[in-house]
């Protein structure tokens, strides 16, 4: 590369030689003050119209002459500056183009170096993840953080010792976290098996970020609820079985009791009638009897008796 140290382009600069403008401001200010004092309001009242016009012409001529001179001097100073700025602006164009070209090349080199650093960081993370039994992409979002120039040794694609130690700390922390997570999963499955609950819902809760202690607390709560529901179902089933057994016992009792015929007018017992026994016969004539029955077991016994009649195909009629 060409050595441009201390060459012409590094030393060139514009040179300004200041000029001097001579004007006696002190004498000018005094003369103006004197003129102002000589033309006070009272003195102006004593002047004729033509005299006032004469004074205006006098001082206007002074003002115009000074202003004209000022503009002439301004041109002498401004014209070189305007010309210099115009020429410099024109010369800046290729200089700016050169700077942009150099900057693009610099950025290209820096981007390439950054990619090399990122690739090296990726390699280090993936190698350490493989040794720890972790997914190789576990820390992919950390690559840019560890690819800064300050993380590498000077002018080398090699991480500093302290950078490697930080990476090791991250790897170990993630390894411990996963081991604890696996242990928690195993414990959830063990408890759900013991509690007779499905494991999948509680595993999902843990995966969604619910603290393990909260998952365990919910499991125990669900277990207690399931036990109570089961207890209530069994109690209901037992009560239903007892109710059916009681009905069956009452029906049998009612069927085995003698049925007494009572005279409807006197209320006297006429005879004891036992349940009719079936006799093998080809044809049985219907048999009718008017009875007044008294059920000491109450209305419930009546319904049981009606059921017995229905079950044995006995027609009956309630007389009012």
């Amino acid at each position: 590369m060409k050595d441009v140290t201390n060459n012409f382009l590094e030393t060139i600069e514009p040179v300004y030689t200041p000029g001097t403008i001579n004007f006696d401001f002190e004498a000018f200010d005094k003369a103006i003050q004197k003129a102002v004092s000589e033309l006070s309001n009272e003195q102006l009242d004593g002047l004729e119209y033509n005299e006032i016009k004469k004074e205006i012409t006098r001082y206007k001529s002074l003002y115009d002459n000074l202003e004209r001179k000022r503009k002439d001097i301004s041109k002498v100073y401004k014209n070189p500056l305007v010309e210099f700025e115009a020429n410099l602006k024109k010369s800046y164009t290729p200089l700016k183009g050169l700077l942009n070209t150099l900057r693009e090349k610099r950025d290209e080199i820096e981007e390439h170096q950054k990619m090399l650093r990122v690739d090296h960081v990726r390699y280090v993370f993936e190698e350490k993840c493989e040794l720890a039994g972790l997914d190789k992409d576990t820390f992919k979002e950390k690559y840019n953080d560890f690819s800064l120039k300050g993380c590498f040794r000077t002018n080398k694609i090699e991480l500093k010792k302290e950078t490697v130690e930080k990476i090791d700390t991250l790897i170990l922390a993630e390894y411990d976290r996963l081991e604890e997570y696996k242990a928690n999963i195993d414990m959830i499955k063990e408890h759900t098996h013991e509690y007779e609950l499905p494991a999948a819902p509680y595993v999902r809760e843990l995966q969604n970020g619910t603290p393990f202690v909260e998952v365990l607390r919910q499991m125990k709560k669900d277990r207690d609820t399931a036990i109570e529901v089961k207890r209530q179902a069994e109690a209901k089933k037992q009560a239903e079985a007892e109710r059916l057994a009681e009905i069956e016992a009452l029906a049998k009792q009612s069927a085995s009791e003698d049925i007494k015929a009572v005279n409807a007018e006197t209320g006297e017992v006429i005879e004891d009638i036992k349940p009719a026994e079936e006799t093998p016969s080809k044809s049985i004539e219907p048999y009718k009897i008017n009875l007044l029955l008294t059920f000491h077991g109450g209305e419930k016994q009546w319904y049981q008796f009606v059921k017995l009649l229905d079950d044995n195909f006995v027609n009956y009629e309630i007389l009012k």
Side-chain angles (χ1 to χ4, degrees):
M1 184 175 181
K2 185 178 179 181
D3 184 9
V4 293
T5 306
N6 294 323
N7 65 9
F8 171 74
L9 290 177
E10 290 182 331
T11 58
I12 186 172
E13 61 181 19
V15 178
Y16 168 65
T17 303
T20 302
I21 302 175
N22 294 318
F23 186 76
D24 192 347
F25 282 99
E26 183 178 357
F28 177 73
D29 291 342
K30 287 181 179 179
I32 292 297
Q33 291 297 327
K34 182 179 180 182
V36 171
S37 64
E38 290 176 352
L39 294 174
S40 62
N41 291 335
E42 293 179 359
Q43 292 170 326
L44 287 175
D45 290 340
L47 294 178
E48 297 292 335
Y49 174 74
N50 290 332
E51 291 177 328
I52 293 175
K53 289 183 63 177
K54 182 179 177 181
E55 292 297 326
I56 291 175
T57 301
R58 175 186 176 189
Y59 290 109
K60 179 65 168 59
S61 176
L62 171 63
Y63 178 85
D64 290 344
N65 183 58
L66 290 173
E67 188 63 15
R68 184 171 55 256
K69 195 65 178 178
R70 181 191 67 78
K71 291 179 180 180
D72 291 341
I73 294 173
S74 176
K75 289 179 181 180
V76 173
Y77 276 84
K78 284 186 176 180
N79 287 345
L81 177 61
V82 171
E83 182 180 358
F84 168 74
E85 289 180 342
N87 291 335
L88 191 60
K89 183 178 181 181
K90 181 179 179 181
S91 298
Y92 273 164
T93 301
L95 176 59
K96 289 180 178 179
L98 176 60
L99 281 173
N100 290 335
T101 300
L102 292 172
R103 285 168 180 157
E104 289 175 0
K105 190 62 179 178
R106 177 203 62 190
D107 294 343
E108 180 183 337
I109 294 173
E110 288 184 350
E111 183 64 22
H112 178 68
Q113 291 177 342
K114 181 180 179 181
M115 290 177 62
L116 292 177
R117 294 195 300 270
V118 171
D119 286 341
H120 183 72
V121 171
R122 180 187 297 109
Y123 168 77
V124 172
F125 267 109
E126 289 181 354
E127 184 181 40
K128 291 181 178 294
C129 283
E130 184 178 359
L131 291 174
L134 303 176
D135 186 281
K136 65 182 183 67
D137 294 328
T138 301
F139 297 97
K140 62 186 306 182
E141 295 181 357
K142 297 286 186 180
Y143 294 164
N144 287 333
D145 297 339
F146 286 90
S147 65
L148 302 176
K149 290 182 179 180
C151 297
F152 284 75
R153 297 180 63 181
T154 305
N155 297 326
K156 291 186 178 181
I157 303 299
E158 182 181 347
L159 290 172
K160 293 180 179 179
K161 181 180 178 182
E162 54 268 31
T163 305
V164 175
E165 290 176 350
K166 290 180 181 179
I167 293 176
D168 288 339
T169 300
L170 287 176
I171 298 291
L172 291 174
E174 180 64 13
Y175 175 81
D176 292 340
R177 188 191 71 80
L178 284 180
E179 288 299 305
E180 181 181 0
Y181 175 77
K182 292 176 182 178
N184 291 342
I185 292 291
D186 291 340
M187 191 171 294
I188 286 175
K189 292 180 178 179
E190 181 180 342
H191 278 71
T192 51
H193 178 73
E194 179 184 348
Y195 295 164
E196 296 181 352
L197 296 172
Y202 305 102
V203 172
R204 281 197 298 270
E205 284 190 29
L206 188 69
Q207 292 172 338
N208 293 334
T210 304
F212 178 63
V213 175
E214 292 296 326
V215 175
L216 288 181
R217 185 178 291 114
Q218 185 62 44
M219 288 169 57
K220 292 179 180 179
K221 182 178 178 182
D222 293 344
R223 178 207 49 189
D224 294 342
T225 300
I227 291 174
E228 178 61 22
V229 170
K230 185 177 180 180
R231 186 194 65 78
Q232 291 180 3
E234 291 178 350
K236 182 177 180 181
K237 182 178 180 181
Q238 180 65 25
E240 180 67 13
E242 292 176 356
R243 185 181 71 83
L244 294 176
E246 181 181 358
I247 292 174
E248 184 178 356
L250 289 174
K252 290 180 179 180
Q253 178 183 355
S254 179
S256 62
E257 288 179 351
D258 292 338
I259 302 174
K260 297 181 179 181
V262 181
N263 187 304
E265 295 181 358
T266 65
E268 296 177 351
V269 177
I270 299 175
E271 60 178 330
D272 290 341
I273 302 176
K274 296 182 182 290
E277 297 180 357
E278 292 186 3
T279 58
S281 174
K282 293 182 179 180
S283 176
I284 300 176
E285 292 294 330
Y287 179 76
K288 291 185 180 181
I289 184 171
N290 294 328
L291 298 175
L292 176 63
L293 305 176
T294 300
F295 295 95
H296 298 283
E299 187 177 6
K300 183 177 180 181
Q301 189 178 12
W302 154 246
Y303 286 118
Q304 293 170 349
F305 177 70
V306 168
K307 185 176 183 303
L308 179 64
L309 295 179
D310 291 336
D311 290 344
N312 289 275
F313 305 102
V314 178
N315 294 332
Y316 59 90
E317 181 180 359
I318 299 176
L319 302 175
K320 296 296 184 179

